[in-house]
Amino acid sequence: MKNINKKTVSDVLLDCLVSLKVKYIFGVPGDIQTDLWHSLKNRSDISFIAFKNEKSAAFAADIYCRTSGRTRGEQRVEWHSAVCFSTVGPGMTNLVSAAANATMDRSPLVCISDQVNSLGLDNETHQYINSKKLFSQDTNVAKDSFILESADSIVQTVLSAFNVAFEEKMGAVHISIPHEMWGKNCSSTPPKNYYKNFKNKIKIDSPNNKDISKAAKILNKTKSGLILTGGSINRSKSWYSFEKMVDHLNFPVFSTFRGKGCINSDHPLHIGTLSRHFENVNKSIFSKVDTIVLVGYDYNEGVKPDIWSGIKNIINIDLKDNTVQNIFSPKNNIFGNLDETFLSLCQLTETSTNSVNINKIKKDIKNIIYGDIDHDSFPFRPTRIMEIINSTFKEDSIIVGDVGNNKYYSGLLYNPGKNSQIIFSNGQSSMAFSSGAIGASFANPNKNIIAISGDGGFLMNPQEIITAVKHNKYLIEIVFVDNAYGLVKSKQEKDFGVNKFHSSLTFQNPDYVSLAKSLGAKGYFINSMNNFLEILNKIKEQKSGVHLIAVPVEYGGGAI
């Protein structure tokens, strides 16, 4: 029998997580770590949420972190981390896709796994995976990997992992705890200043005043300027200072997919979302400006620097050095606290009489997205579907987009309003990302949480609907049904001709209404847009339960 009167590594691990404002551990339990479950049993300050798949659990932890704290229009509050957990071996490898995704999307995901006994860290040991190599920076799966080497080092190990995860550029980290460590007695405890030490370590430095002055001189000479935003404004929650700078400079604003929501979609200077699929239009737009201000640009989003290659002045602003050798190396850079940067530029610059034709740009983009097709046809066009989602869930809502054709239409056409947000997997573009949408429900129990996916992505991990039902969450799953891996099919048709795609790209869908019922949710199959609108309004009014809505869709004729 274990000595249950003394604190173990499991007990102190939970103490550390609670000290760091963690409320939830999302994961799949294993049969070895009995001490962890014993430690969790009598605690009310932290909960373990059991998922059906480790990848979905890690996506949920990522999404929880991205959607915690505040969204636009709300009072600034601390944002929180959730951690994900797996057992040894295959449980650990199931975390890889989500960890790599978080790293590329600059999301501070903390992964914790069981590991074989310290004496068995060898390739011949049952279920052994070299976690240090698997989650190393060299593989781009995570920023770093830690192995607990002694019971009393647990406090420092957890703090070090969180520091690395939350330091810019943010990303995933991994902690593995060998079998024999969980139940060992532990004399170390997180000190009272544990959270303060963590916050001080990840504090962003002030920008260089010389860099700001140099940029201000360029801006004061600008006749036609444009701003392109990435995800840094949303990570640092610098919306108000950014909008103040936008108003002051009078520069129109484009956002990347990760930058959506950095400025109110109804703002007169907001143009829309920049898509790498609009290459010719993008180059045409950028060719008409003499200065572009990049805020939080991230090369891994897929927007290539060549679209602004002819622009005279490029001002690059970010929290930390974001240059990429031989690919992206602007001369005018400002790195540091974004609030300080934006407010300083307001003080040092004059409001411009910008010559950029915003209305024409918006019109050109809309023509590309909508094309010349009938938007009231059946199966439904994604443009029409998104119009209804927009009108119903513009405010107090969080959209979690999956990957595929659905991502491009939701990214281009959903315009988040007050207290709303839309997030994606963009660096890795991981299908089934929306299976973790339940994470947003835990972080925002009073908001409308909507997952939008294609049938291909949804069917990879539909089982997490059971998890949402078990925990009485309010969640809406909208599935674009085209019976195919639609994005791949579209690409093959573009390259080889209509209907000239490989037969393996199509598949048979389940009866979504019956599937939903079997998982404990409510299911709907949409047969008209009026029917769709009526169902969404009814769900929104009830604001409870898990709902699976299948919407027949036909792509083509527009953006994709």
Side-chain angles (χ1 to χ4, degrees), residues 144 214 461:
D144 206 349
K214 183 180 178 183
N461 274 357

Side-chain angles (χ1 to χ4, degrees), residues 204-207 212 241 336-345:
I204 302 296
D205 294 333
S206 294
I212 292 176
S241 58
N337 184 286
L338 294 185
D339 287 317
E340 293 179 31
T341 297
F342 299 150
L343 296 177
S344 296
L345 287 174

Side-chain angles (χ1 to χ4, degrees), residues 13 25 28 33 36 54 83-96 110-116 129 131 134-135 145-148 173-179 181-182:
L13 169 65
I25 303 171
V28 178
Q33 319 83 29
L36 177 61
E54 291 90 350
V83 302
C84 60
F85 174 85
S86 83
T87 189
V88 67
M92 189 186 294
T93 60
N94 281 347
L95 296 176
V96 169
V110 178
C111 309
I112 302 174
S113 296
D114 183 37
Q115 180 58 288
V116 301
I129 297 290
S131 58
L134 183 64
F135 292 92
S145 181
F146 302 81
I147 298 178
L148 185 65
V173 296
H174 184 264
I175 304 171
S176 60
I177 301 178
H179 286 340
M181 289 289 184
W182 294 95

Side-chain angles (χ1 to χ4, degrees), residues 49 123 131 174-175 220 230 246 257 299 345 400 453 475 482 484 521:
I49 308 300
N123 288 343
S131 58
H174 184 264
I175 304 171
N220 282 329
V246 170
F257 274 54
Y299 181 72
L345 287 174
V400 180
S453 63
L475 178 66
D482 69 338

